[in-house]
Amino acid sequence: MIKELEEVKKDFLNEINSVATLKDIEQLKIKYLGRKGIISDFMKTIPTVPAEQRATYGLQINTLKNEFTSLIGDVTRRLSRGAIPRTEKELFDITLPGKQPPLGKKHPITQTIDDVKEAFARLGFDVAYGPEVELEYYNFDALNIPSDHPSRTDFDTFYIKNDILLRSQTSTVQIRIMEKQKPPIRIIAPGRVYRPDTVDARHSFMFHQVEGLLVDEGVSFTDLKEVLNQFIKTYFGKDVQMRFRPSFFPFTEPSAEVDISCSICSGKGCSVCSYSGWVEILGAGMVDPHVFKAVHYDAEKYTGFAFGMGIERITMLKYGIDDIRLFYENDIRFLSQF
Amino acid sequence: MKISYNWLKEYAYFYLSPQELADKLTNAGLVVADIKPKEDDFFLEIEITSNRPDCLGMIGIAREVTAAVGGSLHLPDTDFETGNTDITNLVTVSVEDPLLCPRYTARVVRNVTVRPSPEWLQKRLLCIGLRPVNNIVDITNYVMFETGQPLHAFDLDKVPDRRVVVRKASNGEKITTINGAQRVLFHTMLVVADSKKPIAVAGIMGGKETEVSESTRDILLECAHFEPRQVRRTSKELGITSDSSYRFERGTDLEGVEFASKRAAKLMKDLADGEIAGEVVDIRSRKCKEKMITLRVDRLHTVLGVEIKRDVASDILRRLQFTIAREVNNFIDVTVPSFRRDIDREIDLIEEIARVYGYNNIPTKTSIHIRSSGKTKYEIAEDCIRQCLTGLGFYEIKTYSIVDTSSLQSMHLWSDKEPIDIANPLRQEESRLRMCLLPNLINVKRYNANYGVERVRIFEIARVYLAGDTLPHEKTCLSVITDADFYSLKGILELLLQQLGIPSKGEWTPFKEPKLFKDERAAQVFLDGRVLGYLGEASKELEFKTQTSLLELDVDLLIESANFTKKYQVISQYPSVIRDLAIIIDERVAWSSIEQCIADIRIPFFKGVNFFDIYRGKQIPEGQKSVAFSLCFQAQDRTLKGEEVDIAVQTALDTLREKLGAELRKI
Ligand SMILES: [Zn+2]
């Protein structure tokens, strides 16, 4: 912008800031935007400018004119609204709320998955993915789940066709990775899983799991305990206690369920932990030799462990969310809290 | 499994409070879900995993308690004297389907007095939530909860011809079960029948006609083994479950049948003054094969990471009632008891030892080697997209992959192939895997509008499911809805491309999809000739109250094209010169042509062109428009002189006139 125009703008801003009455603003309007006003004078000088700069020059004058018009409009509106006479000095009210630019948020499920990924990345776990529409083989057969197991019925699994289904667990990724890769293996696999449960506060036909798998020579149950201990301390906090309970999963042996001390009542017992002081957060175990057989690993040479947890579940525990449906309603008032 | 604290003490001696007992059981893998005081007793609800049907009886639980705390297991007395008449003179039994019923035993107890059970028995049943009926029925329940083996008592006088056949039902055969409901049977179901009709649905529920009543004199006591699969299927088909079917479904102990039968008969003699007929009918086609497993003691250390001595290991196994056949050097040979059908391999023994040794007594320590793990390009790109959009005020949402079959959901944005339907959906209306993301985002926008939030900025990154060869192609997509116009959303797309290190701005062609987009305000975008996605202002059909624009992109293609290697470009020490211009040009000439035309001139110190605005109005002739933009010039090695910039600008204007018929706008 040329210097003269900049000067004019500076003057104008000074003047409009000291305007106090509707009469003042009317005068200012005539001075700058009137038929014989300053802007009009500038317009007249356009033909005197060298031809190749004319367009730019004209454009700048126009921009300035629009700016002035809009500012005068604003002040006029404000003055005509305010019947209260102005005091000599306007209060610059520093207690007025700030103007917040909008900030979006990652979905709480994504945040949890990211937290879990990061905690395990520090322990050397890579991230792996697998298909959600799966062959029955990966969801059941290769995981040592017998052909008459109730989880295979269409009460417990969504089917597309005979041997094609929506995976009911992320353990499928274990098999896919081991088929492709020789030990050592250290992965986690987050993703969506599906089970035909009628939706209520605690159930959803779609939810997220993270599966973990570590296979190498000389891996034992103590390693499983320590890796999960590290994760739990990172994710839930240093003071959280951990408890292993024997359990049963077809694809691990020995199998365990892992509880953490209830953070709501610090282990004293409350409704969240059914008065036991413990809440279950994941299932785990040493990879069953049958699973190694399915992927042609030598079960004498290699041992490994696997674990799996529900993302919604640990998110609900961490934030005290009591209804799983909230995650999929996507109410902005919910999403903005995380 | 429901148990009574006092009752359990009959089989195992322990000095544990109910809470201590619960902790021991939970740590052994039998999770105690509930403890309640009941009169002078305690009720415990125990969750039994599907591999442990042997714990569906008090004796099984007692075995676990003795394994955990030591001491020996006390089994109830089953010795009795029999009457003079043999059972063979009283009833004929045959099994027509030995595969589905590998063992069937029958005893007869004569001249019983049916009356209420003694108080101690009633109390125990009440504690575990069973309603006492009469001594005979109570005894069958009591022994089932004691041993885990279901039994059934028939009123023998009501069995015509005193003949019992275990056979498949015929289609349409009927039975009225004890609970009074009439059931129509099917040829796949197994029944216990008299010479004509069914008197029980095998393993699930007895018939009303042969039910024990106060007038009953002679009892036919059935104790059998039915195939789990058969019982599970029939139970599901008929919609009946019972304590009996629950146990058969999970698998009962083929060798435990005799013990339970004798125990029940003895109680009937003792509590109902019955006389037990001599001998027993025991029709069996299968014997439980004795399993011998060798455990290598050093393997315990390999799997568990803790040293467990041989004698500690063998002691644990003995307490779980495994028979130690040989114990030498590194080896323990064990015989598996018949009730532990879940134990087949060395690893199963290792788990048993670990369980009783205590998972929480195994140290928490590791010696796994360190290993670095980096993010994949996929991770980096997804993070980058999320970071960009949340920074711009967009909320990430997550919506269901299973959607309805409406025409909006079935749009073929990404594939012409048929949608993928679920064979067994929860609800018929929602039975399809989604083929694009936008419809769900539209629903989320509407949902929020209903709660007063009209203007939303949301996005989702998720998969769509497109029919493929065997398995579908799962394409990851990004979908965005914003509260602004086409160009604002296009700007966000440009920003994403820049952040992902994609130099292209995409190739843009008009796109028509009236269900989604306003006519002429939508485009299909390509990246090097491949479809990147769709962008446009929302169609009136969507009935949004405020300005809304929609976007859906192929994330896989974005990530494939992304490039995160960055190289520093030297910043010029010399100032740049910017010249603002406005040209009048034919309405049909697109900005991309103007931009291309200027770029093609290849002015050496030309840095770029920036679009300002388009003006159509009084001073502009019909069919033309005024396009304002600035040209930026900069040299790396010197300050540009005014004259050389003037020449460059003039060259640009001349070229625009020549190639596109543009005129400099005069004001
Ligand atoms: Zn609690």
Side-chain angles (χ1 to χ4, degrees):
Chain A
M1 206 186 293
I2 63 164
K3 222 172 161 193
E4 289 93 324
L5 287 177
E6 264 169 297
E7 289 296 322
V8 169
K9 187 173 175 180
K10 227 159 89 190
D11 293 345
F12 175 84
L13 291 176
N14 275 333
E15 285 178 56
I16 197 162
N17 275 333
S18 54
V19 154
T21 64
L22 280 169
K23 206 177 150 200
D24 294 346
I25 195 82
E26 190 55 33
Q27 273 167 8
L28 190 76
K29 193 173 169 184
I30 293 164
K31 179 175 172 190
Y32 282 90
L33 301 176
R35 213 147 41 81
K36 290 177 181 168
I38 294 171
I39 292 289
S40 180
D41 288 346
F42 271 104
M43 293 282 196
K44 285 174 198 144
T45 63
I46 293 175
T48 67
V49 176
E52 68 275 11
Q53 289 172 23
R54 237 172 256 163
T56 322
Y57 183 62
L59 215 71
Q60 286 176 346
I61 298 173
N62 238 329
T63 315
L64 209 60
K65 182 179 167 186
N66 291 340
E67 220 172 290
F68 289 2
T69 313
S70 129
L71 281 170
I72 287 172
D74 287 352
V75 174
T76 311
R77 269 192 298 280
R78 200 180 65 208
L79 290 177
S80 38
R81 224 185 300 125
I84 304 160
R86 295 183 58 161
T87 54
E88 290 126 65
K89 199 161 181 293
E90 217 175 295
L91 170 71
F92 184 79
D93 189 350
I94 55 168
T95 67
L96 284 174
K99 293 175 188 168
Q100 288 188 14
L103 181 66
K105 297 286 183 71
K106 286 193 285 189
H107 193 279
I109 293 296
T110 305
Q111 293 186 33
T112 302
I113 291 175
D114 284 354
D115 290 347
V116 171
K117 281 202 279 196
E118 191 179 320
F120 281 106
R122 291 176 182 189
L123 302 174
F125 285 76
D126 288 335
V127 178
Y129 296 95
E132 291 167 26
V133 184
E134 256 299 8
L135 295 171
E136 198 173 9
Y137 174 79
Y138 290 103
N139 203 72
F140 294 124
D141 303 344
L143 289 166
N144 193 33
I145 298 171
S147 59
D148 63 341
H149 197 269
S151 68
R152 291 193 184 230
T153 63
D154 53 8
F155 293 96
D156 287 306
T157 301
F158 282 120
Y159 282 87
I160 303 291
K161 281 187 225 151
N162 269 338
D163 59 339
I164 298 178
L165 45 73
L166 287 179
R167 67 175 175 194
S168 58
Q169 49 197 5
T170 42
S171 312
T172 51
V173 186
Q174 280 186 31
I175 305 298
R176 286 192 170 268
I177 292 293
M178 287 193 281
E179 273 186 351
K180 277 194 300 215
Q181 213 177 307
K182 290 284 147 212
I185 285 181
R186 215 182 284 192
I187 54 136
I188 58 163
R192 297 183 177 211
V193 298
Y194 305 85
R195 289 177 197 173
D197 287 327
T198 306
V199 176
D200 61 27
R202 306 230 147 252
H203 298 91
S204 178
F205 60 80
M206 181 189 98
F207 56 101
H208 293 74
Q209 280 187 338
V210 171
E211 185 80 7
L213 175 71
L214 188 149
V215 182
D216 206 342
E217 286 177 49
V219 177
S220 74
F221 200 82
T222 57
D223 300 310
L224 166 65
K225 285 187 74 178
E226 178 60 1
V227 164
L228 292 180
N229 179 45
Q230 293 292 337
F231 165 70
I232 286 166
K233 296 269 152 60
T234 308
Y235 186 77
F236 289 102
K238 289 261 175 285
D239 301 330
V240 169
Q241 301 299 304
M242 169 183 87
R243 175 176 86 168
F244 270 61
R245 281 186 286 107
S247 189
F248 172 65
F249 307 109
F251 38 95
T252 50
E253 186 89 352
S255 300
E257 265 165 354
V258 182
D259 300 337
I260 57 167
S261 52
C262 177
S263 58
I264 308 288
C265 61
S266 350
K268 284 185 209 74
C270 69
S271 63
V272 171
C273 57
S274 318
Y275 302 95
S276 69
W278 296 97
V279 280
E280 183 192 323
I281 56 150
L282 56 84
M286 302 302 293
V287 179
D288 194 292
H290 279 329
V291 174
F292 281 151
K293 203 175 155 202
V295 296
H296 310 295
Y297 277 16
D298 181 353
E300 280 294 306
K301 187 173 176 195
Y302 297 110
T303 44
F305 60 77
F307 55 87
M309 64 189 129
I311 293 295
E312 278 80 353
R313 183 171 171 77
I314 61 172
T315 312
M316 288 168 87
L317 272 176
K318 188 159 182 171
Y319 300 115
I321 298 167
D322 57 2
D323 193 329
I324 194 169
R325 289 169 292 198
L326 286 164
F327 291 120
Y328 299 105
E329 276 168 3
N330 296 293
D331 191 316
I332 301 291
R333 295 167 301 175
F334 172 75
L335 298 177
S336 60
Q337 294 180 30
F338 302 97
Chain B
M1 171 74 190
K2 299 166 164 64
I3 68 162
S4 138
Y5 175 75
N6 290 345
W7 187 355
L8 186 65
K9 286 194 159 173
E10 189 147 311
Y11 318 106
Y13 295 138
F14 53 85
Y15 301 95
L16 300 168
S17 70
Q19 185 58 55
E20 287 166 343
L21 174 69
D23 290 344
K24 288 274 183 216
L25 287 171
T26 300
N27 281 328
L30 303 170
V31 176
V32 177
D34 197 13
I35 310 176
K36 274 198 197 91
K38 279 235 174 140
E39 290 186 45
D40 51 356
D41 197 354
F42 286 91
F43 159 83
L44 284 83
E45 170 92 58
I46 305 179
E47 288 169 4
I48 308 291
T49 50
S50 64
N51 61 327
R52 293 301 303 276
D54 62 298
C55 288
L56 294 174
M58 300 288 279
I59 294 173
I61 306 279
R63 194 159 49 227
E64 290 293 321
V65 175
T66 56
V69 303
S72 53
L73 190 66
H74 295 262
L75 296 181
D77 183 16
T78 53
D79 286 343
F80 52 73
E81 283 180 11
T82 56
N84 296 327
T85 324
D86 266 5
I87 188 166
T88 39
N89 301 323
L90 299 170
V91 65
T92 325
V93 181
S94 58
V95 174
E96 282 183 8
D97 202 323
L99 277 179
L100 300 183
C101 176
R103 189 173 188 188
Y104 193 96
T105 70
R107 277 199 156 80
V108 170
V109 185
R110 303 172 73 196
N111 296 317
V112 295
T113 311
V114 180
R115 58 173 177 244
S117 301
E119 200 192 339
W120 65 265
L121 200 159
Q122 290 203 23
K123 265 185 154 175
R124 286 181 177 181
L125 292 183
L126 282 167
C127 179
I128 59 168
L130 288 184
R131 185 178 51 91
V133 181
N134 58 47
N135 51 0
I136 301 299
V137 173
D138 292 352
I139 286 166
T140 57
N141 279 330
Y142 184 83
V143 176
M144 170 169 66
F145 273 86
E146 182 177 59
T147 61
Q149 167 65 48
L151 304 103
H152 189 72
F154 295 98
D155 183 335
L156 186 55
D157 291 329
K158 291 183 187 152
V159 179
D161 311 333
R162 300 193 160 219
R163 260 187 76 83
V164 173
V165 190
V166 181
R167 61 164 169 86
K168 286 275 185 65
S170 46
N171 277 339
E173 244 182 327
K174 292 188 182 74
I175 183 172
T176 303
T177 45
I178 280 174
N179 59 4
Q182 200 193 59
R183 317 279 176 173
V184 181
L185 306 172
F186 199 60
H187 73 274
T188 52
M189 299 170 177
L190 193 70
V191 294
V192 179
D194 61 25
S195 50
K196 292 193 188 69
K197 56 187 189 312
I199 54 172
V201 185
I204 299 174
M205 199 169 273
K208 188 90 188 156
E209 267 179 52
T210 53
E211 190 184 14
V212 173
S213 67
E214 269 167 41
S215 61
T216 301
R217 287 184 308 126
D218 294 353
I219 300 291
L220 173 68
L221 178 64
E222 166 197 290
C223 189
H225 186 91
F226 298 111
E227 263 306 297
R229 226 184 271 215
Q230 171 69 22
V231 175
R232 190 182 309 142
R233 193 172 63 200
T234 304
S235 159
K236 207 155 235 175
E237 281 169 352
L238 291 176
I240 322 175
T241 54
S242 60
D243 287 323
S244 164
S245 70
Y246 180 77
R247 285 166 175 76
F248 281 125
E249 273 179 30
R250 279 156 184 78
T252 49
D253 176 15
L254 193 62
E255 303 305 319
V257 169
E258 174 67 356
F259 178 82
S261 170
K262 279 166 84 179
R263 170 69 168 151
K266 181 177 166 60
L267 283 173
M268 285 180 189
K269 182 177 193 291
D270 295 350
L271 305 179
D273 314 325
E275 179 198 307
I276 302 168
E279 297 304 314
V280 57
V281 173
D282 187 352
I283 303 171
R284 68 187 300 179
S285 55
R286 218 175 73 205
K287 224 175 133 59
C288 197
K289 230 169 82 192
E290 200 164 79
K291 277 182 286 192
M292 180 85 98
I293 307 174
T294 301
L295 171 73
R296 292 164 295 168
V297 178
D298 61 359
R299 192 73 188 163
L300 284 169
H301 184 261
T302 309
V303 176
L304 303 177
V306 63
E307 199 84 51
I308 297 177
K309 295 237 157 54
R310 193 183 71 200
D311 56 334
V312 174
S314 61
D315 182 49
I316 289 172
L317 291 172
R318 229 177 257 119
R319 279 192 271 162
L320 288 166
Q321 306 213 311
F322 289 78
T323 313
I324 309 294
R326 189 176 69 114
E327 207 180 327
V328 60
N329 297 334
N330 188 33
F331 304 101
I332 307 175
D333 293 340
V334 298
T335 310
V336 182
S338 63
F339 50 80
R340 291 305 301 273
R341 297 179 317 116
D342 58 316
I343 307 290
D344 284 318
R345 304 163 296 166
E346 181 187 45
I347 191 73
D348 300 323
L349 295 180
I350 293 174
E351 178 175 60
E352 288 305 296
I353 292 163
R355 207 166 57 78
V356 176
Y357 183 84
Y359 282 6
N360 297 307
N361 296 326
I362 295 173
T364 301
K365 63 168 189 171
T366 188
S367 54
I368 57 172
H369 55 88
I370 58 162
R371 177 184 184 280
S372 77
S373 149
K375 283 185 179 176
T376 58
K377 188 180 179 192
Y378 183 88
E379 310 284 328
I380 297 169
E382 260 204 14
D383 286 356
C384 170
I385 296 170
R386 285 202 174 91
Q387 212 169 354
C388 261
L389 289 170
T390 52
L392 292 165
F394 287 81
Y395 281 98
E396 186 192 12
I397 63 166
K398 288 212 184 278
T399 64
Y400 295 125
S401 321
I402 301 172
V403 297
D404 62 51
T405 52
S406 67
S407 59
L408 193 62
Q409 290 285 11
S410 306
M411 271 186 313
H412 290 88
L413 284 186
W414 298 110
S415 160
D416 295 330
K417 299 217 176 90
E418 285 303 299
I420 297 161
D421 287 332
I422 294 166
N424 57 326
L426 266 180
R427 296 172 357 114
Q428 216 40 252
E429 309 87 89
E430 283 149 11
S431 59
R432 181 159 291 176
L433 293 179
R434 61 173 159 182
M435 305 168 72
C436 54
L437 306 182
L438 270 174
N440 275 357
L441 271 82
I442 289 166
N443 289 337
V444 168
K445 179 172 164 71
R446 286 184 181 140
Y447 179 92
N448 278 286
N450 285 341
Y451 288 96
V453 186
E454 193 69 51
R455 307 173 72 101
V456 293
R457 294 182 184 177
I458 48 175
F459 73 99
E460 180 171 20
I461 300 175
R463 297 183 189 179
V464 298
Y465 310 84
L466 313 170
D469 295 337
T470 319
L471 292 177
H473 174 211
E474 297 180 18
K475 182 199 281 297
T476 303
C477 287
L478 161 70
S479 186
V480 181
I481 288 190
T482 185
D483 56 346
D485 66 358
F486 179 93
Y487 297 112
S488 308
L489 191 50
K490 184 175 174 185
I492 286 167
L493 169 56
E494 288 168 354
L495 216 72
L496 283 177
L497 291 172
Q498 281 165 23
Q499 293 307 303
L500 293 168
I502 302 170
S504 165
K505 287 182 173 174
E507 302 106 48
W508 295 73
T509 61
F511 183 69
K512 255 193 194 333
E513 176 49 85
K515 284 198 279 284
L516 280 182
F517 299 123
K518 207 180 267 178
D519 204 16
E520 294 186 349
R521 299 236 166 167
Q524 187 173 22
V525 198
F526 297 82
L527 209 55
D528 301 322
R530 292 157 74 188
V531 179
L532 175 63
Y534 306 86
L535 189 158
E537 291 182 6
S539 159
K540 287 226 159 46
E541 284 180 33
L542 296 173
E543 296 177 336
F544 292 136
K545 290 200 185 79
T546 52
Q547 170 89 276
T548 302
S549 296
L550 321 167
L551 165 71
E552 181 147 333
L553 296 182
D554 178 343
V555 171
D556 293 334
L557 177 57
L558 270 184
I559 292 175
E560 192 189 314
S561 319
N563 179 3
F564 295 105
T565 47
K566 286 179 180 144
K567 194 167 185 300
Y568 163 67
Q569 303 288 319
V570 176
I571 299 164
S572 174
Q573 298 171 31
Y574 305 96
S576 59
V577 180
I578 290 166
R579 291 287 171 84
D580 298 340
L581 294 174
I583 55 170
I584 293 174
I585 198 162
D586 190 290
E587 183 67 70
R588 289 163 299 182
V589 180
W591 168 252
S592 57
S593 313
I594 299 172
E595 207 179 12
Q596 193 60 51
C597 180
I598 298 167
D600 285 348
I601 304 169
R602 307 204 179 280
I603 302 163
F605 45 85
F606 173 68
K607 285 286 282 185
V609 52
N610 273 310
F611 170 78
F612 286 165
D613 65 5
I614 286 185
Y615 174 76
R616 299 174 180 89
K618 270 190 231 150
Q619 301 95 328
I620 312 299
E622 190 85 356
Q624 298 199 300
K625 58 189 172 188
S626 159
V627 181
F629 53 90
S630 69
L631 297 175
C632 179
F633 303 96
Q634 189 176 40
Q636 292 290 354
D637 53 352
R638 66 202 155 86
T639 303
L640 290 172
K641 291 197 199 82
E643 300 86 78
E644 51 186 343
V645 174
D646 291 345
I647 293 168
V649 170
Q650 198 52 53
T651 315
L653 285 170
D654 292 345
T655 316
L656 285 169
R657 186 187 306 115
E658 233 169 77
K659 295 211 171 135
L660 302 172
E663 291 297 336
L664 180 70
R665 184 177 167 200
K666 305 209 165 56
I667 303 163

